[in-house]
Amino acid sequence: MKPISFKRHRFPADVIRHAVWLYFRFSLSFRDVEELLAQRGIEVSYETIRCWTIKFGPLIARRLRRRRPAPSPRWHLDVMVCWIDGKRMYLWRAVDDEGEVLDLVVQRRRDTEAALRLLKRILHNQPVEPQTITTDGLASYGAALDQLDLRHLHRPGRLRENNRVENSHLPIRRRERPQQRFKSQASAQRFLTTHAAIYNTFNIQRHLISRPTLRRFPAEAATAWAAAVA
């Protein structure tokens, strides 16, 4: 991959990389990141950090996605409500059965057209064909899958059957508070797409792995991040 250019920036590349990593990796606001950097003697405004995340965040996310292995073919879909600029919006998300975020899209509606848009994005962007598609009881999923001739893969269920994606909403809920909710549909889509790629890289199922494996996974995630931001 072509190296990321940090030319015409007053601060060193390592400072910019670290600020972007802090913001997307942890539930921090721009002012929190500003204060953390100030503790290290780096005086930078939160507005500058915001500009860095907008410019470099999506680019780093794309590079991280290229390095990810293929996800599981067993997919889970769900929709959650978000309040954006005082309006009720819907965040459509898809994860695999291991919690890997496949894709997401912020939309104004909760209907068949919205479900179809999410499914088309996943089928276009993912390197594997689905074996099963588990959803809740929303009828829009079945109607969308009918249009794609994938109804035979549909596994509609209740909360327990779709618990994997329900639990994966929690990191997003934790991010809403320091950000004082999302300000626009476009900014929410940009942030959540970037956050998903970085979350996939650093998410470790601690309760499912042994201690030696737990030591290896963070090192692999750090290596992937270093390669993506180089």
Side-chain angles (χ1 to χ4, degrees):
M1 291 182 288
K2 185 178 179 180
I4 298 177
S5 175
F6 294 94
K7 292 181 179 179
R8 295 184 295 276
H9 286 273
R10 181 164 63 91
F11 288 88
D14 286 342
V15 173
I16 299 174
R17 295 187 189 106
H18 189 64
V20 173
W21 178 77
L22 284 173
Y23 179 69
F24 286 107
R25 177 68 181 91
F26 304 103
S27 299
L28 301 172
S29 67
F30 293 125
R31 289 175 173 82
D32 293 332
V33 177
E34 177 186 13
E35 187 171 345
L36 289 172
L37 293 177
Q39 289 293 320
R40 298 190 174 194
I42 303 171
E43 296 293 335
V44 54
S45 73
Y46 70 91
E47 280 294 335
T48 300
I49 297 170
R50 182 182 66 83
C51 293
W52 291 346
T53 61
I54 292 174
K55 180 177 181 179
F56 296 107
L59 175 59
I60 294 171
R62 287 194 297 270
R63 294 160 69 98
L64 286 172
R65 282 193 292 269
R66 292 174 191 162
R67 299 180 60 87
R68 295 295 295 170
S72 164
R74 294 174 292 278
W75 299 351
H76 296 255
L77 277 61
D78 194 36
V79 58
M80 60 183 288
V81 176
C82 293
W83 290 93
I84 300 176
D85 193 25
K87 300 176 182 178
R88 186 184 181 96
M89 305 285 284
Y90 298 96
L91 174 57
W92 294 75
R93 301 180 68 250
V95 304
D96 69 6
D97 61 348
E98 296 180 353
E100 180 94 358
V101 181
L102 303 176
D103 213 333
L104 56 92
V105 59
V106 181
Q107 305 192 75
R108 297 179 180 275
R109 297 185 180 275
R110 189 170 175 260
D111 55 12
T112 301
E113 183 180 349
L116 188 62
R117 184 182 176 193
L118 174 66
L119 285 164
K120 286 181 176 179
R121 283 174 61 102
I122 306 170
L123 294 170
H124 180 265
N125 295 329
Q126 296 303 322
V128 296
E129 295 292 330
Q131 292 180 358
T132 62
I133 300 177
T134 304
T135 71
D136 58 17
L138 183 64
S140 299
Y141 295 116
L145 289 168
D146 280 337
Q147 296 188 35
L148 297 172
D149 295 325
L150 296 176
R151 189 60 177 261
H152 60 287
L153 304 179
H154 193 201
R155 303 292 185 271
R158 297 184 181 275
L159 180 62
R160 178 173 296 180
E161 288 81 3
N162 212 27
N163 196 47
R164 169 59 74 183
V165 68
E166 294 284 352
N167 287 337
S168 75
H169 295 330
L170 296 178
I172 296 176
R173 292 300 188 199
R174 287 195 292 266
R175 291 309 304 254
E176 285 181 314
R177 184 177 180 86
Q179 290 184 276
Q180 299 178 1
R181 295 183 176 176
F182 303 112
K183 303 303 186 293
S184 70
Q185 182 177 352
S187 65
Q189 180 72 47
R190 181 180 60 246
F191 168 80
L192 293 171
T193 302
T194 304
H195 175 266
I198 297 174
Y199 174 82
N200 287 340
T201 301
F202 289 94
N203 182 37
I204 300 172
Q205 304 288 343
R206 293 176 177 271
H207 62 291
L208 298 177
I209 57 179
S210 64
R211 193 66 189 178
T213 305
L214 180 60
R215 288 193 293 267
R216 179 168 57 87
F217 279 4
E220 293 176 352
T223 300
W225 172 264
V229 300

